[in-house]
């Protein structure tokens, strides 16, 4: 699909962690979030909300809670994307009903937030802005929730830094298409060859990115990362917030 500007934009994505001092206007933020709202949503439930964090003290605290990620504080705009069943509970209660606190509705809220956020990313990048997702806000999710006054049935899925890039990092290679695209049925027999191919590309990328300082294969990195027991506080936190009780 050569010459398709939208595909070209998508394929040029990279995470930006250093931003210029140029401000991102509220008008731009509004347009970015409106573009997010145009994303698909399960049964039109629109089970998400976005917190635009402008207060400098809150930004500083969020940077700390996310593990010392300074760009949360320095980026032009910072958005927290939330799974939100609270608004639906408000609707239900006015009609004598209760929103179902099921795992399915938790998934719907999470997926809706992710779909809207990715639409917003493309909108931001089309304006010449850069972004990086901040999953680290789940490191201290209860403190983040309290800081942002999130009520029952609302939880922060991830943050998003937005701003004018002050760096041009290399595009991180992805797995071969064959690793993720299957035909008619899942084919686990492709794993070995696809991972071996990707490991080579990943080692070259990491060698270039770190100036030769780090050359671990992707499979080594992921075996270590995927086997870690991380954020075990998430399940009790979500249950306390009213999610996934069935």
């Amino acid at each position: 699909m050569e010459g398709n500007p939208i595909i070209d934009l998508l394929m040029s994505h990279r995470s930006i962690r250093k931003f210029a001092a140029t401000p991102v206007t509220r008008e731009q933020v509004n347009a970015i979030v409106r573009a997010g709202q145009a994303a698909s949503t399960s049964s039109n439930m629109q089970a998400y909300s976005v917190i635009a964090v402008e207060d400098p003290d809150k930004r500083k605290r969020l940077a700390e809670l996310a593990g010392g990620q300074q760009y949360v504080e320095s980026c032009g705009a910072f958005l927290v994307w939330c799974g939100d069943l609270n608004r639906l509970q408000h609707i239900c209660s006015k009609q004598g009903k209760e929103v179902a606190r099921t795992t399915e509705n938790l998934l719907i809220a999470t997926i809706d937030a992710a779909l809207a956020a990715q639409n917003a990313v493309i909108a931001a990048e089309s304006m010449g802005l850069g972004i990086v997702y901040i999953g680290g806000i789940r490191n201290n999710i209860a403190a983040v929730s309290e800081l942002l006054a999130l009520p029952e049935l609302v939880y922060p899925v991830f943050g998003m830094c937005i701003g004018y890039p002050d760096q041009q990092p290399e595009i991180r290679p992805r797995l071969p298409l064959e690793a993720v695209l299957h035909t008619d049925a899942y084919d686990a027999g492709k794993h070995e060859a696809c991972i071996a191919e990707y490991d080579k590309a990943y080692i070259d990328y990491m060698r270039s990115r770190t100036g030769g300082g780090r050359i671990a294969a992707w499979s080594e990195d992921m075996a270590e990362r995927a086997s870690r027991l991380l954020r075990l506080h998430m399940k009790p936190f979500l249950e306390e917030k009213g999610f996934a009780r069935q």
Side-chain angles (χ1 to χ4, degrees), residues 30-242:
N30 288 348
I32 288 165
V33 175
R34 283 196 189 101
Q37 287 185 272
S40 296
T41 167
S42 181
S43 301
N44 199 32
M45 291 175 75
Q46 303 175 72
Y48 64 93
S49 289
V50 188
I51 312 293
V53 184
E54 297 180 350
D55 181 88
D57 292 333
K58 286 189 176 183
R59 285 270 210 107
K60 182 177 181 181
R61 181 60 178 147
L62 286 169
E64 294 168 353
L65 292 171
Q69 299 189 64
Q70 184 274 333
Y71 28 91
V72 170
E73 195 175 351
S74 63
C75 63
F78 187 69
L79 306 180
V80 178
W81 296 80
C82 302
D84 183 358
L85 298 180
N86 185 278
R87 183 167 51 242
L88 293 164
Q89 170 59 23
H90 175 76
I91 293 168
C92 287
S93 64
K94 292 189 72 173
Q95 300 180 43
K97 300 178 181 180
E98 285 284 324
V99 71
R101 300 175 183 227
T102 58
T103 301
E104 171 64 7
N105 274 346
L106 169 62
L107 287 171
I108 285 171
T110 305
I111 293 166
D112 269 11
L115 290 172
Q118 191 58 24
N119 249 35
V121 167
I122 306 311
E125 291 180 340
S126 76
M127 299 176 187
L129 298 164
I131 74 97
V132 65
Y133 282 102
I134 306 295
I137 65 167
R138 298 193 303 277
N139 292 348
N140 296 285
I141 195 166
V144 169
S145 182
E146 182 179 0
L147 183 70
L148 301 179
L150 302 184
E152 186 183 40
L153 292 170
V154 180
Y155 89 99
V157 184
F158 43 68
M160 181 188 291
C161 296
I162 305 174
Y164 287 92
D166 194 25
Q167 61 177 177
Q168 288 297 325
E170 293 182 46
I171 297 173
R172 188 188 297 266
R174 297 301 200 236
L175 283 160
L177 177 65
E178 294 76 18
V180 299
L181 179 60
H182 303 258
T183 302
D184 293 330
Y186 192 94
D187 181 7
K190 300 190 295 183
H191 288 342
E192 194 68 30
C194 288
I195 291 168
E197 178 185 341
Y198 184 56
D199 274 346
K200 292 177 182 177
Y202 186 82
I203 287 169
D204 288 343
Y205 164 78
M206 291 303 297
R207 183 181 289 116
S208 174
R209 177 174 171 173
T210 65
R214 189 170 184 278
I215 56 171
W218 177 79
S219 58
E220 294 172 339
D221 278 351
M222 293 305 110
E224 194 280 327
R225 182 176 294 273
S227 61
R228 274 190 264 163
L229 297 175
L230 297 175
R231 297 175 184 152
L232 297 182
H233 55 267
M234 286 297 301
K235 186 174 185 290
F237 170 81
L238 288 169
E239 289 174 345
E240 185 179 340
K241 276 288 189 180

